[in-house]
Amino acid sequence: MDMLWNGWGDPARATPLPDTVTGLLRDLLGVKPLDAAPLPLAEIDVPGPGLDDAVLRALTAAVGDRADGVRTDAETRLRHTRGKSTPDLLLMRAGDVSDTPAAVVLPDGHDEVLAVLETCAGHGLPVVPFGGGTSVVGGLAPGRRGPFVALDPRLMNRLLELDEVSRTARLQPGLRAPEAEALLAAHGYTLGHFPQSYEWATIGGFAATRSSGQASAGYGRFDEMVLGLTLATPEGTLVTGRAPRSAAGPDLRQLVLGSEGALGVITSVTVRVRPVPEVRRYEGWRFASFDAGAAALRRLAQDGPRPTVLRLSDETETLIGLAQPDALGASLDGQDAGCLAVVGFEGTEADTAHRREEAARVLADGGGTFAGEEPGERWAHGRYSAPYLRDSLLDAGALAETLETATYWSRVPALYAAVRDALTGTLTDAGTPPLVMCHISHVYENGASLYFTVVCAQGDDTVAHWTRAKHAANEAILAAGGTITHHHGVGTDHRDWYVQEAGPLGIEALRAVKRTLDPAGVLSPGVLLPAD
């Protein structure tokens, strides 16, 4: 099943907001109903492909002359337009098809990907990998105008190899996360990677963007799971990962991980896997303040025991109930004050029981109060619901968007305040005072990530309205010592700030690599790096 073309996920799962929430939006934020409904798919006027017949024939030959290997029909191309950021969705709802690919190519295997890239390079035709379509940073359209090809790896959806002795698996990039989990579970294993995009995102996308799942405290980030990978480029094949660790020069895996299609197309990934856990336990803890809760999380991250899931919502997010998306507004009576932490444990019965007991001592010593299993289990039940909630907020006339960053523990308070102030100040000055919420979504021994959610009235030009606020937040992030992105990636939205973060010499080094692997400059131009 394809994802909703102008929203998130399965259309059948979309639900309208309860009256309490629409009332809150109206009274607190001045949100007004939309003047017009989004344009339906049938009314979107998609221009023709605009590619020469010779180019189409060459692309078709590259995928073995399969009849369904190259698609140029309007609906397929429309469904491969942009990603799922709020600006992306607003443009789609308004019928803006300026970033629609000229064709969608579906290769089946590494050799066909190589042939497609060689063809595109020979014709100077940009090509953008399109996996699950879940990018929220402008990563699915080139940063320059003109025809381009979307390369969809959905046919490359196999478990190629499972090494149960080494506990590794080699997966193709077009596997959606649930498909990969099902294939591994049939042998008793799990990848343990469960980001909010889990239901739709792909293995290749996880690697290309350095994805981080909600259970990263226990399983690690996706880039930490990757032991080897294969990259197809217009100049040939790059294979990395002869051993789990090596001193044989710089690790070329790290060059490919996070490259976002700008250096090549990932055609297989070797990952470490773990046994499916015997038990999963999720629970809630309450803290009087965000600072107190963050200090307790830091103790667990640094000294252990490390839970599998460890998250902390600030006071506003806790009050609104965003930590439990399917119960939005349930805490508006103010009885659940403070900050809610969700703590989860997965593993064997004995190990889980031991870590829960020891973690409880640390959390209680840090001022936490046990809130029972219900908040944790409710979070687990609704952990993939927030993007659907975003669609409902857009339908109601609200602007809803997220951004994230990360820093060292000592800088977390200043970064938290700087981003909140930037967002609140910019949007309030524009006449739409926002609700700004935040949670610590991932923890490490040395630092943590901050994930912000913003809700306000849409304004007259909603995309421009949010862009100004996002740019202000980006500047605040760099000024406060944070990274421009923790797990959403760079795309085109973060590119200019990534250039500042990496510095001139770092960017020139990456440009040199791109010139070697992609001398024609056809791979995702303008994504990650400024286009030449």
Side-chain angles (χ1 to χ4, degrees), residues 450-511:
L450 295 173
Y451 192 104
F452 292 86
T453 301
V454 183
V455 180
C456 66
Q458 288 192 7
D460 294 332
D461 186 342
T462 312
V463 173
H465 190 52
W466 170 248
T467 299
R468 287 190 293 270
K470 171 76 175 197
H471 287 185
N474 290 350
E475 295 291 343
I477 285 170
L478 292 190
T483 180
I484 196 60
T485 176
H486 172 262
H487 59 268
H488 282 167
V490 174
T492 55
D493 293 358
H494 293 149
R495 180 194 60 215
D496 295 344
W497 291 269
Y498 172 60
V499 168
Q500 297 179 49
E501 183 174 328
L505 186 59
I507 293 300
E508 185 52 37
L510 285 175
R511 282 190 180 279

Side-chain angles (χ1 to χ4, degrees), residues 35-50:
D35 294 332
L39 286 175
L41 180 64
E43 294 183 14
I44 303 295
D45 184 16
V46 181

Side-chain angles (χ1 to χ4, degrees), residues 202-259:
T202 61
I203 294 297
F206 290 154
T209 59
R210 290 187 182 272
S211 174
S212 192
Q214 295 170 338
S216 64
Y219 290 101
R221 293 165 54 95
F222 194 81
D223 51 1
E224 296 171 329
M225 302 175 187
V226 175
L227 302 174
L229 48 80
T230 303
L231 184 75
T233 82
E235 294 297 292
T237 300
L238 178 67
V239 180
T240 72
R242 295 176 66 91
R245 295 292 184 271
S246 170
D251 189 346
L252 293 179
R253 288 176 300 183
Q254 300 305 320
L255 190 62
V256 178
L257 293 167
S259 59

Side-chain angles (χ1 to χ4, degrees), residues 353-516:
H354 173 73
R355 284 190 293 138
R356 287 183 75 190
E357 182 179 352
E358 294 301 314
R361 291 195 181 97
V362 174
L363 294 169
D365 186 61
T369 302
F370 183 58
E373 294 187 3
E374 193 273 340
E377 294 296 336
R378 181 177 287 276
W379 168 83
H381 176 74
R383 66 197 300 182
Y384 308 125
S385 300
Y388 290 99
L389 172 61
R390 189 262 306 265
D391 284 2
S392 298
L393 288 166
L394 292 178
D395 290 341
L399 184 156
E401 186 57 303
T402 64
L403 60 90
E404 39 74 42
T405 179
T407 191
Y408 295 101
W409 283 113
S410 60
R411 298 176 182 172
V412 165
L415 180 61
Y416 172 71
V419 177
R420 280 179 55 90
D421 289 349
L423 291 168
T424 301
T426 305
L427 292 168
T428 299
D429 289 346
T432 55
L435 194 64
V436 179
M437 299 162 275
C438 180
H439 64 266
I440 291 176
S441 57
H442 306 274
V443 299
Y444 307 95
E445 181 178 355
N446 307 111
S449 69
L450 295 173
Y451 192 104
F452 292 86
T453 301
V454 183
V455 180
C456 66
Q458 288 192 7
D460 294 332
D461 186 342
T462 312
V463 173
H465 190 52
W466 170 248
T467 299
R468 287 190 293 270
K470 171 76 175 197
H471 287 185
N474 290 350
E475 295 291 343
I477 285 170
L478 292 190
T483 180
I484 196 60
T485 176
H486 172 262
H487 59 268
H488 282 167
V490 174
T492 55
D493 293 358
H494 293 149
R495 180 194 60 215
D496 295 344
W497 291 269
Y498 172 60
V499 168
Q500 297 179 49
E501 183 174 328
L505 186 59
I507 293 300
E508 185 52 37
L510 285 175
R511 282 190 180 279
V513 173
K514 182 169 176 64
R515 284 193 292 268
T516 299

Side-chain angles (χ1 to χ4, degrees), residues 33-340:
L34 296 175
D35 294 332
L39 286 175
L41 180 64
E43 294 183 14
I44 303 295
D45 184 16
V46 181
L51 291 178
D52 292 339
D53 289 343
V55 175
L56 290 172
R57 286 195 299 270
L59 289 172
T60 302
V63 292
D65 289 316
R66 284 183 286 106
D68 62 347
V70 179
R71 301 181 185 178
T72 59
D73 63 282
E75 181 171 340
T76 297
R77 292 164 52 221
L78 192 64
R79 290 185 179 278
H80 288 77
T81 301
R82 303 191 183 94
K84 297 299 180 182
S85 70
T86 292
D88 287 340
L89 298 188
L90 289 170
L91 290 171
M92 296 302 290
R93 287 167 173 232
D96 186 321
V97 294
S98 56
D99 292 319
T100 298
V104 178
V105 182
L106 292 89
D108 188 0
H110 176 82
D111 290 344
E112 290 191 2
V113 174
L114 282 176
V116 169
L117 298 184
E118 182 180 356
T119 299
C120 289
H123 289 86
L125 181 64
V127 55
V128 177
F130 189 106
T134 62
S135 171
V136 293
V137 293
L140 298 181
R144 70 185 189 205
R145 293 301 179 192
F148 73 97
V149 165
L151 189 153
D152 187 332
R154 68 176 61 193
L155 300 180
M156 301 167 64
N157 59 358
R158 304 170 185 88
L159 168 61
L160 298 174
E161 182 182 355
L162 179 65
D163 181 345
E164 297 196 61
V165 175
S166 303
R167 287 188 177 174
T168 66
R170 189 158 66 96
L171 306 171
Q172 288 189 308
L175 275 169
R176 286 183 178 171
E179 295 171 337
E181 280 295 318
L183 290 171
L184 293 171
H187 299 276
Y189 295 99
T190 180
L191 188 55
H193 190 67
F194 305 106
Q196 197 168 79
S197 60
Y198 168 79
E199 295 170 308
W200 299 92
T202 61
I203 294 297
F206 290 154
T209 59
R210 290 187 182 272
S211 174
S212 192
Q214 295 170 338
S216 64
Y219 290 101
R221 293 165 54 95
F222 194 81
D223 51 1
E224 296 171 329
M225 302 175 187
V226 175
L227 302 174
L229 48 80
T230 303
L231 184 75
T233 82
E235 294 297 292
T237 300
L238 178 67
V239 180
T240 72
R242 295 176 66 91
R245 295 292 184 271
S246 170
D251 189 346
L252 293 179
R253 288 176 300 183
Q254 300 305 320
L255 190 62
V256 178
L257 293 167
S259 59
E260 301 186 28
L263 302 181
V265 176
I266 296 169
T267 58
S268 71
V269 179
T270 299
V271 291
R272 63 111 175 98
V273 295
R274 293 180 178 170
V276 173
E278 294 177 8
V279 295
R280 293 182 172 94
R281 299 281 188 272
Y282 306 103
E283 57 195 32
W285 285 78
R286 289 195 173 273
F287 291 88
S289 68
F290 193 55
D291 287 344
L297 265 62
R298 177 174 61 83
R299 286 181 58 186
L300 287 177
Q302 292 180 336
D303 303 323
R306 182 76 67 90
T308 308
V309 173
L310 192 56
R311 303 163 62 85
L312 174 71
S313 294
D314 70 1
E315 291 87 347
T316 305
E317 185 170 288
T318 299
L319 180 65
I320 297 301
L322 202 64
Q324 303 169 2
D326 61 343
L328 188 69
S331 301
L332 292 178
D333 57 11
Q335 294 181 0
D336 296 327
C339 296
L340 175 67

